[in-house]
Amino acid sequence: MRACIKSILAVCTLVLTISASVSAQELSTYEEKVTEFTLDNGLHFIIVERSVAPVAHFLTLVDVGSANEPVGSTGIAHIFEHMVFKGSHTIGTTNYEEEVQYINQMDDAYTAWLDEYNKLESDEQKLEELWNRFEELQEKAGEYVVNNEFTQIIEREGAVGVNAFTSADLTGYFYSLPQNKAELWFMLEADRFKNPVMREFYTEKDVIYEERRMRTDSNPFGRLLEEFAATAFSAHPYKNPVIGWPSDIRNTTIADAWDFNDRHYSPSNFTIAVVGDVDPMEMRRLADKYFSDLQYRDPAPEVRVEEPEQRGERRFVIEERSQPIYIEGYHTVNNQHPDFQALNLLSNIMTSGRTSRLYKRMVVDDQSALQASSLNGYPGSKYPGMFLIYVIPNQGVEMETVEETLREELRKIVEEGVTEEELNRARTNARAGLVRTLTSNSGIAQTLASAHINGGDWRTAFTNLDRLSDVTANDIQRVAEQYLKKSNRTVGMIVTEQNEDVAAN
């Protein structure tokens, strides 16, 4: 038996050594392929030459997310993301000079309607008059709109995967093009950030309302996550949903969006990654040609709110007719903290793969759960976030059983620690995840640009993995004891309306 254990440990050590060498080799390889530079206005470029196919992926990553939104304007980062696809002064319009006059008047009319609407006792007749005036101006502005012209132009030229995202920490815009269309990307991308517009602003807010309805209001898991963040955080803006609260979406005006753009879309907040069959020197020339005149602005303001230490366990129950779901989370650290990697490995040990602790115990052995997953860094990791565990119980399994099982497994880690085999497997899984990401142009762009924004250098995507070797089994045990404790815990669950006993408990 002892010889067998030694053989297993030897194999794990060999795998770990190979994985570490792969990480170092990948970094060395990328250092030869990466060209990076920063324009005088602060905009940073990462160019990766990768001649696998005659295409290139373009990613514009902006260091702004929902955590940066001012009080009363939740969702504005996402609203502005939608506006970026509306074109510019010359794209998406038949006459911008005339269109913008109606846009400005329309915003004034909407603001007047809002002022009346938000009064304690609003005048219904006046509200109707103001709203009719707003709709009249919106219709006038719409007469100049060429719908989706920006997207149509790039898709005619072979663009694929045209999309964007807004998260708690970042906003990204991306798509791929044939490499001989690179100058078209530079021209159009620079144009829409140098000459942004608030075209179809209020029409687009209706789209966002529908998006919220589908992702949150009509989605049990979405409702649970929204309630969880609002309960777990008392001060930090991570408590707010990325999509925004409905009243904030309603109260956001074009003037608010312009202010958000001026504060957060400064060139020094941008990192642009171009990955594919491109000439780095040509990319530098095009960057200078199209982006160097993007006006310098002061760096975006930092979030200075700190979440106070939690004073005790927080709990909530949502009663509704849906699949029961259990969730719990613990306040931890940001992605630059020394404990972040240990917490990532702890999450991997708990729920990554069929042999992970929670998955094996609850899904495979007990069959008490249909799914058991965990995540470190929710809803973001730029600032201290949450270590999250969620379980979808099997039919007939009580929430008390789910919670007792979680407590037992966490207690085992705190009291007994983890094995070297588990730790080595988690390290290998983390490195394998990076390798998989780096098999595509889009994965490379996202990985390197995110690493630059989070760690100040794209190389941290590789050096952070190397730091996994410094994490010990004692570190895993220590962070479990330090962070995953009752006073630091928030528990939430969805239970069926008929299950009154569970709700009462």
Side-chain angles (χ1 to χ4, degrees):
M1 181 66 179
R2 185 175 298 175
C4 181
I5 293 174
K6 286 184 177 179
S7 298
I8 292 173
L9 290 175
V11 170
C12 289
T13 302
L14 177 61
V15 171
L16 182 60
T17 303
I18 292 172
S19 296
S21 65
V22 167
S23 177
Q25 183 179 2
E26 286 285 347
L27 174 56
S28 176
T29 300
Y30 273 89
E31 284 184 320
E32 297 175 0
K33 295 180 178 179
V34 171
T35 300
E36 62 178 332
F37 52 88
T38 304
L39 302 181
D40 290 341
N41 56 20
L43 201 158
H44 191 77
F45 279 84
I46 299 173
I47 313 296
V48 184
E49 189 176 5
R50 188 169 182 263
S51 304
V52 176
V55 295
H57 186 79
F58 301 86
L59 167 68
T60 299
L61 205 58
V62 189
D63 189 9
V64 61
S66 62
N68 303 96
E69 295 167 339
V71 174
S73 294
T74 61
I76 197 170
H78 181 239
I79 293 172
F80 192 83
E81 173 217 308
H82 280 236
M83 290 299 98
V84 173
F85 284 90
K86 295 299 179 179
S88 65
H89 294 181
T90 55
I91 294 174
T93 183
T94 57
N95 188 327
Y96 182 69
E97 289 184 0
E98 293 184 13
E99 179 193 13
V100 73
Q101 294 182 37
Y102 284 111
I103 290 175
N104 293 336
Q105 293 176 48
M106 174 182 68
D107 198 44
D108 291 340
Y110 187 83
T111 301
W113 176 85
L114 270 182
D115 291 342
E116 184 64 29
Y117 179 90
N118 288 321
K119 289 180 179 179
L120 291 177
E121 295 184 6
S122 55
D123 185 324
E124 292 298 326
Q125 182 177 348
K126 187 174 182 181
L127 276 176
E128 184 178 357
E129 292 172 355
L130 290 170
W131 186 258
N132 289 338
R133 174 60 176 162
F134 160 73
E135 286 191 319
E136 177 186 334
L137 291 165
Q138 183 173 238
E139 185 176 346
K140 287 285 188 180
E143 293 175 1
Y144 298 92
V145 174
V146 182
N147 288 313
N148 299 318
E149 186 175 25
F150 173 85
T151 303
Q152 291 172 2
I153 289 173
I154 56 178
E155 288 184 341
R156 281 199 302 267
E157 299 299 328
V160 294
V162 183
N163 216 327
F165 69 87
T166 303
S167 72
D169 293 335
L170 299 169
T171 307
Y173 308 86
F174 53 90
Y175 57 92
S176 298
L177 273 173
Q179 54 88 223
N180 61 354
K181 302 294 183 180
E183 185 162 7
L184 175 68
W185 178 88
F186 277 91
M187 179 182 68
L188 294 177
E189 194 75 354
D191 184 37
R192 65 174 174 167
F193 287 110
K194 285 189 289 189
N195 303 298
V197 292
M198 298 299 160
R199 185 170 293 130
E200 298 181 304
F201 183 86
Y202 293 103
T203 303
E204 200 65 26
K205 285 211 297 181
D206 292 337
V207 174
I208 291 168
Y209 276 124
E210 178 63 16
E211 193 175 330
R212 179 187 162 82
R213 186 192 66 78
M214 292 177 61
R215 293 184 179 183
T216 303
D217 300 333
S218 300
N219 185 320
F221 196 61
R223 293 193 295 273
L224 181 65
L225 284 174
E226 183 172 271
E227 191 69 26
F228 174 83
T231 304
F233 291 93
S234 57
H236 196 275
Y238 275 167
K239 65 184 178 181
N240 296 317
V242 173
I243 195 73
W245 298 110
S247 61
D248 285 353
I249 298 172
R250 180 188 66 236
N251 290 328
T252 297
T253 66
I254 290 175
D256 296 327
W258 280 125
D259 183 62
F260 185 80
N261 171 68
D262 292 342
R263 289 167 65 86
H264 294 285
Y265 273 69
S266 56
S268 60
N269 236 23
F270 282 63
T271 298
I272 291 178
V274 181
V275 182
D277 187 16
V278 295
D279 177 2
M281 297 304 294
E282 176 65 5
M283 297 303 100
R284 176 61 192 260
R285 184 186 72 81
L286 294 174
D288 286 330
K289 178 178 179 180
Y290 290 102
F291 282 96
S292 60
D293 60 344
L294 187 59
Q295 186 176 3
Y296 171 85
R297 294 201 296 270
D298 291 335
E302 291 289 339
V303 174
R304 301 190 183 278
V305 178
E306 295 182 8
E307 181 67 19
E309 184 177 354
Q310 191 167 311
R311 298 187 180 97
E313 185 184 63
R314 301 170 183 172
R315 303 178 73 90
F316 69 91
V317 177
I318 300 175
E319 298 178 65
E320 58 182 43
R321 295 179 181 274
S322 70
Q323 166 71 50
I325 308 173
Y326 177 92
I327 189 171
E328 70 177 40
Y330 304 81
H331 291 280
T332 57
V333 296
N334 70 4
N335 55 34
Q336 298 306 302
H337 192 282
D339 287 344
F340 190 77
Q341 297 298 341
L343 288 160
N344 282 344
L345 291 176
L346 173 59
S347 174
N348 197 298
I349 289 169
M350 289 180 67
T351 62
S352 181
R354 294 182 62 84
T355 59
S356 60
R357 292 202 175 196
L358 276 183
Y359 191 92
K360 186 176 186 302
R361 168 74 184 275
M362 303 186 77
V363 180
V364 179
D365 295 342
D366 296 351
Q367 295 187 358
S368 59
L370 300 172
Q371 185 176 350
S373 299
S374 60
L375 167 69
N376 182 43
Y378 178 85
S381 62
K382 182 179 180 182
Y383 309 100
M386 304 286 289
F387 186 101
L388 199 68
I389 306 168
Y390 71 89
V391 176
I392 300 179
N394 216 332
Q395 186 174 4
V397 176
E398 301 292 343
M399 287 299 187
E400 288 92 337
T401 302
V402 170
E403 195 162 359
E404 287 170 5
T405 304
L406 286 178
R407 296 290 163 271
E408 184 179 334
E409 291 301 320
L410 291 177
R411 190 162 52 246
K412 286 179 183 178
I413 292 176
V414 171
E415 294 176 356
E416 303 170 12
V418 299
T419 67
E420 286 297 325
E421 181 183 356
E422 287 177 306
L423 181 55
N424 288 337
R425 187 187 302 120
R427 289 182 182 133
T428 301
N429 287 343
R431 291 191 172 92
L434 176 65
V435 171
R436 285 193 296 270
T437 300
L438 298 178
T439 58
S440 67
N441 290 345
S442 59
I444 295 169
Q446 181 70 49
T447 299
L448 301 195
S450 297
H452 172 78
I453 285 179
N454 287 320
D457 190 334
W458 63 266
R459 295 169 184 82
T460 58
F462 301 93
T463 56
N464 282 342
L465 281 182
D466 291 337
R467 293 191 184 100
L468 295 178
S469 301
D470 298 330
V471 177
T472 66
N474 288 337
D475 290 327
I476 301 295
Q477 189 174 14
R478 175 183 58 79
V479 297
E481 181 178 13
Q482 181 176 346
Y483 299 106
L484 277 58
K485 56 187 179 182
K486 182 179 179 180
S487 62
N488 192 34
R489 184 165 63 221
T490 299
V491 174
M493 62 187 77
I494 293 178
V495 299
T496 55
E497 289 178 336
Q498 298 89 340
N499 202 342
E500 295 180 0
D501 292 338
V502 174
N505 290 334

